[in-house]
Amino acid sequence: MPSNSCHPNAPHEKLKAPDWYVSALMMDRALDAILRRVKKLDRAHDIPYLAGYSQDGKTIYIDRHLPKSFTFRGRTVEVDRFLILHEEVEKTLIDQLGLHYLHAHQIATRAEEAAVNAQRVTWKAYDRFMQKYVKSIGDERLQKVPADLDLKPYRDYHDYDLLQRMEQHIQRMPGLGAKLAGELKSYAAAFREQHELEHRHATRDAAARKRAAKAPAAKKKPAAKKTARTSVAKAARRKAR
C-alpha cells in the first residue's frame, strides 16, 4: 500500500452526502487511514483468538495459520485489514481511555463489522470463516508465542487455562520471555485474588438468603369473632333508638 497517497484502496468518488455522514465509502477511507499508521504486522507466531498486539502497541500480530483471504460470492476477500482495524481500535480504547477489555472488544467488533459491510461482505460469512480457524487454532499447542504479546485481553477475558498454557510454553524456552513470564505470574495472582473476592461475596450472599429464609413471617392478628352476647347488645341499642 503506498504511504504517500490518500486512501489508495477506497476510490476517489465525490460523496453524495456530507463527509461526516455514515457511508460505506467513508468507512473504507477511514480504514485505509488506520492501516497506514500500523508500524509492523507480524504473521509468524501463534496468536490465541487469531489476532493480538504487542505491549507497546507498535506490532499487530495475526496468527500464522489463518489464511489471508477467503472467497465470498466469487470475490477474494483479504482479511488482514479488518483484523488490524479491530486490534488498533481495541488497543487504543484500553490504553488511552482505560476501558476494560470486554468493553473495548465490543466497540472494536462493531467497527470491524462496519468495515466488512463496507466491502459488501456479509458479517455472517466473514464470522463463519473466522470462527472455523479460532476453533482449530484454539485446540493446538502454542508453539510460537511472541515474547511481547499484550496479555491484558486474556487476563480480562478470564481465560486462565490459556494463560497457564502460555506460561508453560515460555518456561520451556529459557531467555525468551522473562518479562512475559513475570507478567503471567502477576496475572495469575490477580486471578486468585479476584476468585477469592467473588467467593467471599457469594458466601456472604448465601448466608443472607439463608437468614432471610429462617426469619419468622409476621403473624396477622386474627379477626375478632362476634359473640352472641355482643350481637344481642347491639340489637338492644338499635331498638332503644
Side-chain angles (χ1 to χ4, degrees):
M1 179 189 304
S3 59
N4 59 348
S5 61
C6 176
H7 45 81
N9 288 339
H12 285 262
E13 297 178 8
K14 183 174 178 58
L15 298 176
K16 297 179 181 179
D19 288 351
W20 47 263
Y21 195 77
V22 174
S23 74
L25 180 59
M26 281 305 300
M27 183 66 210
D28 203 28
R29 290 179 181 177
L31 177 53
D32 290 342
I34 291 175
L35 294 177
R36 290 198 303 273
R37 287 164 172 77
V38 175
K39 294 180 173 59
K40 182 181 179 182
L41 173 63
D42 184 302
R43 261 185 160 274
H45 292 86
D46 295 320
I47 309 299
Y49 305 134
L50 296 180
Y53 33 76
S54 60
Q55 294 172 0
D56 60 10
K58 294 181 179 180
T59 303
I60 298 297
Y61 291 106
I62 296 179
D63 192 274
R64 59 181 176 150
H65 297 99
L66 178 69
K68 294 184 178 181
S69 65
F70 72 102
T71 301
F72 176 74
R73 295 177 181 172
R75 291 192 292 132
T76 299
V77 180
E78 297 182 353
V79 300
D80 283 13
R81 58 194 279 107
F82 306 124
L83 293 172
I84 291 172
L85 170 67
H86 181 114
E87 301 305 321
E88 286 285 358
V89 170
E90 183 178 287
K91 178 66 170 173
T92 300
L93 291 174
I94 291 174
D95 288 357
Q96 301 301 320
L97 296 183
L99 263 63
H100 189 283
Y101 160 72
L102 293 178
H103 297 162
H105 176 75
Q106 284 293 316
I107 297 173
T109 300
R110 299 305 191 276
E112 182 182 4
E113 182 177 4
V116 169
N117 292 334
Q119 291 291 316
R120 300 184 301 280
V121 176
T122 66
W123 178 256
K124 183 178 181 180
Y126 173 83
D127 188 58
R128 183 168 59 244
F129 166 77
M130 290 294 179
Q131 291 300 325
K132 180 170 58 176
Y133 289 94
V134 168
K135 182 178 181 180
S136 62
I137 292 173
D139 293 339
E140 293 177 354
R141 292 181 59 188
L142 297 171
Q143 300 296 326
K144 294 181 64 178
V145 180
D148 65 342
L149 180 65
D150 192 336
L151 301 179
K152 183 175 176 58
Y154 310 110
R155 182 196 68 185
D156 288 354
Y157 196 66
H158 293 270
D159 197 339
Y160 189 44
D161 291 339
L162 177 60
L163 280 171
Q164 286 184 315
R165 287 162 49 207
M166 292 171 67
E167 185 176 22
Q168 292 171 0
H169 162 71
I170 292 170
Q171 289 175 346
R172 292 196 300 269
M173 303 181 68
L176 173 63
K179 183 177 179 180
L180 185 57
E183 187 178 358
L184 280 166
K185 290 180 180 178
S186 68
Y187 285 165
F191 268 110
R192 286 193 296 272
E193 182 179 352
Q194 179 67 22
H195 178 72
E196 291 172 0
L197 180 63
E198 292 175 353
H199 179 70
R200 288 198 298 270
H201 286 173
T203 302
R204 183 190 61 191
D205 293 344
R209 289 193 297 269
K210 189 175 181 180
R211 288 194 299 270
K214 288 183 177 180
K219 294 182 179 180
K220 294 182 179 180
K221 295 182 178 180
K225 295 181 179 179
K226 294 182 179 180
T227 63
R229 183 179 299 176
T230 303
S231 299
V232 171
K234 286 183 178 180
R237 283 197 296 271
R238 285 196 297 271
K239 187 175 182 180
R241 292 172 187 171

